[in-house]
Amino acid sequence: MAQLLTLLESEQFRVLDSRCRHPRAGPAEERGGDPGHLVLLRRGCFSYHRGLRRFVADPCTALLHHPRVDYRVGHPGAEGDDATVIKLAPELFDELWGRRGPDHPELGLSAAVHLRHARVCAALRDPRGDRLSREETVFALLEVAASDRQRAEAPARGDRGARRRTVGRVRALLAAQLSANLSLDTVAQEARCSPFHLMRLFHAETGLSLRAYRRQLRVLTALQRLAEGEQDLARLALELGFSHHSHLSQSVRQVLGSSPARLRAELQQVRAGS
């Protein structure tokens, strides 16, 4: 079961910290009637099922739940997940994504969204912070996330749907075993195709190689740890599968355009100024 903590609540939205330690399991019973909400993973992954269609949320890919659909949730990893959940008032959901909403609930996000998500996490750590500043930080995140919806608007049909399902299984594996030194053969077995075919398929769907996608997962997990106040970069690097803290620093600069030290200082300012 997920532990939910309300971080900020207004008439337009409610921001929750969700920490789920559910063991590995297939999709649970169908649920319905939930408000529209955006789920941004900080660690781990989960699967989201609408009818026979399966989607995967991980730190690289957010998930947008439409308020007028039923769904089920599964847990491909054994260690659960941590997420920021933003539940939206109906009028705000429609304003951001339209009444119909995207056909495809997975939202591929830009670096700008990931940075704004980290700022939200930092700003909401202190419940005594300035309310106006904190609410503006959340709205800024929602605005950029809505502008990044283009990939989610393309419905999955025919071969595209099969490709997404295959890549979704691989994304779940990479997120669930983030620090593991996986072989290409192991990943291809999860994808149920040859390593060569998987490499072409994965790049066509995500625009990234397997290695680059895993690096991005690790960097975004590191970003959230920095937002939570992590100080020991060497320990963080080893926990996330980097060979050395300099490897972590180089990867953070390549993905987010800034060093871990600079990001940590910025996020500390956000906490102090909220």
Side-chain angles (χ1 to χ4, degrees), residues 84-100:
T84 304
V85 181
I86 307 177
K87 296 192 174 183
L88 308 171
E91 60 271 18
L92 179 58
F93 183 96
D94 293 349
E95 183 178 354
L96 290 168
W97 283 284
R99 180 173 175 78
R100 184 171 179 270

Side-chain angles (χ1 to χ4, degrees), residues 19-163:
R19 297 174 187 261
C20 177
R21 296 298 177 266
H22 200 292
R24 188 192 306 271
E29 293 182 2
E30 193 167 65
R31 301 164 56 179
D34 287 1
H37 55 269
L38 180 67
V39 185
L40 298 127
L41 269 291
R42 304 189 301 269
R43 183 192 64 82
C45 65
F46 69 89
S47 59
Y48 176 85
H49 303 255
R50 292 195 331 200
L52 298 177
R53 300 172 68 186
R54 176 182 185 267
F55 308 95
V56 174
D58 62 32
C60 290
T61 306
L63 189 133
L64 180 68
H65 168 69
H66 194 287
R68 290 172 279 273
V69 302
D70 296 336
Y71 69 101
R72 296 174 296 152
V73 172
H75 302 274
E79 298 182 358
D81 58 77
D82 297 338
T84 304
V85 181
I86 307 177
K87 296 192 174 183
L88 308 171
E91 60 271 18
L92 179 58
F93 183 96
D94 293 349
E95 183 178 354
L96 290 168
W97 283 284
R99 180 173 175 78
R100 184 171 179 270
D103 290 330
H104 192 275
E106 292 176 358
L107 295 179
L109 304 178
S110 65
V113 177
H114 295 303
L115 290 169
R116 290 186 185 275
H117 179 206
R119 293 186 185 111
V120 165
C121 293
L124 299 187
R125 280 174 61 83
D126 184 358
R128 300 166 299 178
D130 178 71
R131 184 176 183 87
L132 178 60
S133 174
R134 291 167 2 126
E135 288 188 6
E136 284 188 334
T137 302
V138 175
F139 273 115
L141 167 61
L142 292 171
E143 181 181 16
V144 179
S147 70
D148 276 1
R149 68 184 178 183
Q150 287 81 6
R151 283 184 58 195
E153 291 178 331
R157 296 191 180 97
D159 291 342
R160 183 74 187 277
R163 187 172 77 186

